[in-house]
Amino acid sequence: AQSVTQPDIHITVSEGASLELRCNYSYGATPYLFWYVQSPGQGLQLLLKYFSGDTLVQGIKGFEAEFKRSQSSFNLRKPSVHWSDAAEYFCAVDRRRALTFGSGTRLQVQP
Amino acid sequence: SAVISQKPSRDICQRGTSLTIQCQVDSQVTMMFWYRQQPGQSLTLIATANQGSEATYESGFVIDKFPISRPNLTFSTLTVSNMSPEDSSIYLCSVQLSWDAGPGELFFGEGSRLTVL
């Protein structure tokens, strides 16, 4: 069955520093992969998605992610983090139009 | 995009009672899902709400505990029955707007935070 693993439960970065959140997937074929963000008291918002083609995908809020089949990974990156990026980030894989989510990574941003 | 309204946004309930959560979307959607997010945990799919027919439940979730209705293309309800403290969670409604939207193009409500005493 499709699944995703987020190895980092909690990450703290300084404002202005770069960010990389890890996501590994388990799936036989090419998966449909997503990153969602959940800000405090908010619903989930789609940051970006990968279906096929270019392995580097751009999303909203300056985020990007790279699909690496050889590593079964879909890591999320941002070159310069802003304090407003503090949130919970979820990697997800499509499963018959619903989604299976990873356990999430909580991002804390220090001033 | 879609505007998804969930009611109630939060509630505190007594053990043994039931609560119905409503999900209203401002446009017709093809698919609606209900997720549960237990404290400090990720999201787990409860069921797919099918318009005009019985919901499709995931392993570990049953209709007697989580009856779901979807009378039309814009509205669904989830009932949490005979609640226990283990049911304390955020329940989220999620929708896919159309079949043309790619897989995973889901929009989420802000959730209903349920605390069971």
Side-chain angles (χ1 to χ4, degrees):
Chain A
Q2 303 94 311
S3 66
V4 288
T5 302
Q6 295 180 247
D8 304 305
I9 298 173
H10 185 225
I11 284 182
T12 300
V13 300
S14 298
E15 189 167 17
S18 63
L19 171 70
E20 183 168 28
L21 302 182
R22 296 185 290 167
C23 172
N24 294 100
Y25 68 88
S26 172
Y27 187 55
T30 299
Y32 298 143
L33 293 162
F34 309 85
W35 276 99
Y36 280 80
V37 60
Q38 185 178 37
S39 299
Q42 308 267 323
L44 277 82
Q45 182 180 24
L46 177 65
L47 284 176
L48 47 79
K49 60 185 183 244
Y50 173 77
F51 291 168
S52 64
D54 193 347
T55 56
L56 183 64
V57 293
Q58 303 296 320
I60 63 172
K61 303 185 179 185
F63 286 92
E64 66 178 26
E66 186 170 14
F67 172 69
K68 292 186 178 180
R69 184 189 303 277
S70 61
Q71 299 177 17
S72 298
S73 68
F74 187 58
N75 294 347
L76 182 71
R77 302 195 294 248
K78 187 169 185 178
S80 178
V81 170
H82 187 263
W83 63 266
S84 60
D85 293 324
E88 186 93 21
Y89 291 81
F90 293 96
C91 184
V93 62
D94 172 74
R95 178 173 154 268
R96 293 180 284 111
R97 299 227 169 225
L99 292 175
T100 297
F101 287 86
S103 54
T105 298
R106 180 166 297 280
L107 174 65
Q108 187 173 359
V109 180
Q110 289 182 333
Chain B
S1 65
V3 176
I4 304 169
S5 301
Q6 280 189 238
K7 291 181 180 179
S9 58
R10 60 177 63 230
D11 206 341
I12 300 174
C13 303
Q14 297 299 316
R15 182 195 301 259
T17 62
S18 299
L19 179 75
T20 296
I21 301 168
Q22 299 179 358
C23 177
Q24 178 73 56
V25 190
D26 68 343
S27 59
Q28 294 186 343
V29 299
T30 54
M31 303 193 74
M32 297 180 78
F33 306 97
W34 287 98
Y35 284 85
R36 180 175 73 181
Q37 186 176 23
Q38 293 177 300
Q41 304 293 316
S42 184
L43 286 82
T44 302
L45 180 65
I46 297 172
T48 301
N50 301 309
Q51 192 260 327
S53 65
E54 193 172 285
T56 304
Y57 289 86
E58 297 298 305
S59 176
F61 297 96
V62 295
I63 187 170
D64 290 346
K65 176 65 175 179
F66 297 101
I68 288 171
S69 78
R70 189 181 172 190
N72 56 52
L73 294 177
T74 64
F75 184 78
S76 178
T77 66
L78 167 73
T79 299
V80 186
S81 303
N82 187 25
M83 287 183 286
S84 67
E86 292 71 36
D87 295 319
S88 298
S89 296
I90 299 173
Y91 293 86
L92 294 118
C93 174
S94 173
V95 305
Q96 182 172 40
L97 296 186
S98 72
W99 291 112
D100 293 335
E105 290 273 14
L106 300 185
F107 295 89
F108 287 82
E110 293 191 4
S112 299
R113 183 182 294 271
L114 180 60
T115 301
V116 184
L117 302 177

